[in-house]
Amino acid sequence: MTKIIVANWKMCGSPESAKLWAVSFLPALSKLKTANKIIVCPPAPLISQLKNELTGSIVKIGAQNCHFQPEDAYTGEICASLLKACGCEYVIVGHSERRSYFNETNEIVRRKAARAIKIGLTPIICIGESEEQKNSGKTIEVINQQLAESIPSEAKSGDFIVAYEPVWAIGSGKIPSLEEIKQVHQAILTNISSSMAIDIKKISVLYGGSVKADNAKDIMAMPEVSGVLVGGASLKADEFVKIVAGG
Ligand code: PGA
């Protein structure tokens, strides 16, 4: 089964390191002959460079954020249409770091996703519960509210990807059990399919949070998991190749 593997470089990388990453990743990737879909989301200034370096490969480019407004006077922001013009096909919206450090609400995330869809980018809409919410048994309640408020109502089948990233698993080395991942993914699939009348087989839900080469295979083997969103481990080309190979 084809899986989607997304690299989120966050605020890391440089023109030199991106070049080295591509030079080491691409030959290893071509040896794999994988059918998996691979998307790399570098910091915005590296998008055009990486797009050029990955030309001719199966790797697609995504951004980590966009504004919800079309091109206009918003100093410091990046509009979705510019990302598309620079070669992006995807954009991550609502990552927990943006929700917590930049006060992005579900409403802001929904507006960003709507803008992305409108101009032809696929938003990767991130949701996930905090450790406190998990410990008080609120995971499914939180997830359901985030889904209801973060996915644009006009979105159709295939317009968007959801990434389930428990906040407490991001960058911590801790991951939920496979059974927990399965249960939350099932809940997400059921929610989207019933609230938006989308065929469950056409909904993509990625898992993210401390995915590494040694756990990716088991996570991606689950039918409820469409792929993985990888932060820290995606910066090392050799580790990322192993993750891609595991899927
Ligand atoms: P991590 O980050 O793989 O470093 O835990 C995942 C993410 O934040 O998307």
Side-chain angles (χ1 to χ4, degrees):
M1 194 177 161
T2 304
K3 300 283 176 172
I4 304 165
I5 299 152
V6 185
N8 172 15
W9 286 4
K10 309 195 181 192
M11 204 171 71
C12 305
S14 65
E16 295 75 25
S17 70
K19 191 175 178 56
L20 287 174
W21 187 94
V23 164
S24 138
F25 181 69
L26 289 181
L29 176 68
S30 61
K31 278 197 205 119
L32 290 182
K33 304 204 185 319
T34 180
N36 289 337
K37 200 178 257 188
I38 299 152
I39 303 159
V40 181
C41 305
L46 298 178
I47 286 171
S48 294
Q49 178 195 329
L50 212 54
K51 172 81 186 160
N52 285 336
E53 270 156 16
L54 299 174
T55 299
S57 78
I58 59 166
V59 186
K60 309 283 187 202
I61 300 284
Q64 299 171 16
N65 182 32
C66 67
H67 197 9
F68 50 75
Q69 293 289 5
E71 182 177 335
D72 207 344
Y74 290 92
T75 302
E77 291 293 329
I78 302 177
C79 66
S81 55
L82 175 59
L83 294 172
K84 190 171 179 213
C86 290
C88 288
E89 293 176 51
Y90 299 84
V91 59
I92 298 171
V93 293
H95 188 280
S96 78
E97 285 149 16
R98 298 222 46 98
R99 289 178 184 262
S100 63
Y101 303 143
F102 302 98
N103 303 318
E104 285 193 9
T105 59
N106 287 334
E107 193 207 335
I108 292 173
V109 175
R110 177 177 52 71
R111 292 177 71 188
K112 290 183 173 197
R115 171 63 51 195
I117 292 169
K118 189 162 186 184
I119 61 102
L121 289 177
T122 303
I124 301 169
I125 303 170
C126 300
I127 58 169
E129 83 285 3
S130 67
E131 186 145 42
E132 196 190 341
Q133 289 164 334
K134 176 184 164 60
N135 292 341
S136 50
K138 294 210 174 103
T139 299
I140 302 298
E141 189 187 317
V142 169
I143 294 297
N144 283 341
Q145 182 166 5
Q146 288 176 328
L147 290 172
E149 295 175 6
S150 306
I151 301 179
S153 56
E154 65 273 27
K156 293 188 289 302
S157 174
D159 274 353
F160 64 96
I161 293 170
V162 169
Y164 169 55
E165 297 205 297
V167 179
W168 52 273
I170 295 174
S172 65
K174 294 189 273 183
I175 62 162
S177 67
L178 293 178
E179 186 53 35
E180 283 170 326
I181 295 176
K182 180 178 170 169
Q183 279 174 12
V184 179
H185 277 238
Q186 264 169 353
I188 295 169
L189 290 166
T190 309
N191 176 317
I192 297 173
S193 124
S194 63
S195 64
M196 303 182 74
I198 298 179
D199 180 352
I200 233 161
K201 291 191 213 74
K202 301 210 168 115
I203 304 168
S204 297
V205 185
L206 313 181
Y207 168 79
S210 294
V211 174
K212 309 267 183 274
D214 60 6
N215 59 25
K217 192 170 183 172
D218 289 342
I219 297 171
M220 283 198 282
M222 289 193 273
E224 297 81 5
V225 175
S226 315
V228 285
L229 175 50
V230 189
S234 71
L235 287 161
K236 299 174 215 121
D238 55 344
E239 171 107 6
F240 192 56
V241 167
K242 287 188 198 146
I243 294 172
V244 172

